[in-house]
Amino acid sequence: MNIFDEIIERHNTESYKWDFFNDPADTIPMPVADMDFRAPEPVLQALREVTEHGVMGYSIVPEELGEVLQKRLENLYGWKTEKDWFVWIPGLVPALTATCKAIGEATDAIITPIPVYHPFHLAPKWVGKTLQTFPMKLENNRWTFDFEALEANITENTKLFMLCNPHNPAGTVFTKAELERLADICAKHNIVICSDEIHCDLILDETKPHIPIAGLSQTAADLTITLMAPSKTFNIAGLGFQ
């Protein structure tokens, strides 16, 4: 039996996904993005080593971790990075919020397409900034950007574009041409891009590779903050490691 065949009972384990509604018979908790599979054995073994050591003190980020991430980004996406670019944070939503707070002034605005992952709508308001939205459009049974609507909704106060790539919830894997056009528009208007790419390892169609928008060009890299994590890939969201 492999991990994808094993059924693990999660009711009554304080699972946010399965115990929040306290209705095991009728509720399918689709909105909560953790999987009902065991984490990979190497991850579990690493956790055993920590718990068996017995001391849960403050830790530093191992030098090797940055090197591993550099190699992974280059091997998977051809994206060359520097270790001093990496910032280790406890979660995606805190990162979205911190980015919304850091970019622009209190009177500035943040734009994002709709539909999109719900915290994209909440984070700007949490830091007292204005949320702007524009609609995506359905083309050939695929959701993509309406670039005309985007430019129509940009104002002089728009300082941040919040991108979800691959897109949540539409599932769109954006093409190089789409990302290049988005980067060009943001560069023209001096808008920073915050790109949530935590689902990048879960693309199952080999003809649709993930493209980090920051890896397109130096121009795109200079205006992009990229958010990645092992949480979705290895089903370890509860560890709070991004």
Side-chain angles (χ1 to χ4, degrees), residues 142 144-145 147 165 172-182 208-209 211 213 216:
R142 177 180 178 274
T144 187
F145 299 120
F147 290 107
N165 173 37
T172 304
V173 180
F174 295 109
T175 66
K176 183 179 179 181
E178 289 169 328
L179 295 173
E180 286 177 334
R181 186 171 179 186
L182 175 62
K208 297 178 174 59
I211 302 172
I213 191 168
L216 289 175

Side-chain angles (χ1 to χ4, degrees), residues 95-96 99-100 103 110-113 120 145 147 150 158-165 178-197 212-217 219-227:
L96 293 173
T99 302
C100 289
I103 304 301
I110 297 163
I111 194 165
T112 193
F120 279 43
F145 299 120
F147 290 107
L150 167 59
T158 308
K159 301 300 181 185
L160 180 66
F161 183 101
M162 297 178 71
L163 168 65
C164 198
N165 173 37
E178 289 169 328
L179 295 173
E180 286 177 334
R181 186 171 179 186
L182 175 62
D184 287 344
I185 291 172
C186 289
K188 181 175 73 172
H189 293 279
N190 197 29
I191 297 172
V192 174
I193 299 171
C194 178
S195 184
D196 165 11
E197 304 188 11
I213 191 168
L216 289 175
S217 65
T219 298
D222 289 344
L223 57 81
T224 301
I225 298 168
T226 303
L227 308 179

Side-chain angles (χ1 to χ4, degrees), residues 80-241:
K80 294 185 178 181
T81 57
E82 301 292 337
K83 283 191 289 186
D84 60 4
W85 296 357
F86 302 149
V87 177
W88 310 99
I89 54 176
L92 175 78
V93 175
L96 293 173
T97 307
T99 302
C100 289
K101 187 174 181 64
I103 304 301
E105 304 299 330
T107 56
D108 286 331
I110 297 163
I111 194 165
T112 193
I114 51 175
V116 76
Y117 177 51
H118 188 48
F120 279 43
H121 293 173
L122 301 177
K125 299 176 183 179
W126 288 337
V127 301
K129 293 184 178 175
T130 300
L131 172 67
Q132 299 170 325
T133 62
F134 69 98
M136 298 182 75
K137 61 181 179 179
L138 189 62
E139 290 185 346
N140 299 319
N141 203 33
R142 177 180 178 274
W143 287 98
T144 187
F145 299 120
D146 185 332
F147 290 107
E148 288 73 22
L150 167 59
E151 294 218 70
N153 282 278
I154 290 174
T155 68
E156 62 180 11
N157 291 328
T158 308
K159 301 300 181 185
L160 180 66
F161 183 101
M162 297 178 71
L163 168 65
C164 198
N165 173 37
H167 192 269
N168 178 8
T172 304
V173 180
F174 295 109
T175 66
K176 183 179 179 181
E178 289 169 328
L179 295 173
E180 286 177 334
R181 186 171 179 186
L182 175 62
D184 287 344
I185 291 172
C186 289
K188 181 175 73 172
H189 293 279
N190 197 29
I191 297 172
V192 174
I193 299 171
C194 178
S195 184
D196 165 11
E197 304 188 11
I198 66 170
H199 290 94
C200 60
D201 290 331
L202 298 181
I203 299 172
L204 303 181
D205 186 340
E206 294 182 357
T207 69
K208 297 178 174 59
H210 174 69
I211 302 172
I213 191 168
L216 289 175
S217 65
Q218 189 61 53
T219 298
D222 289 344
L223 57 81
T224 301
I225 298 168
T226 303
L227 308 179
M228 287 184 166
S231 54
K232 306 303 181 186
T233 307
F234 302 111
N235 198 28
I236 54 174
L239 294 181
F241 176 77

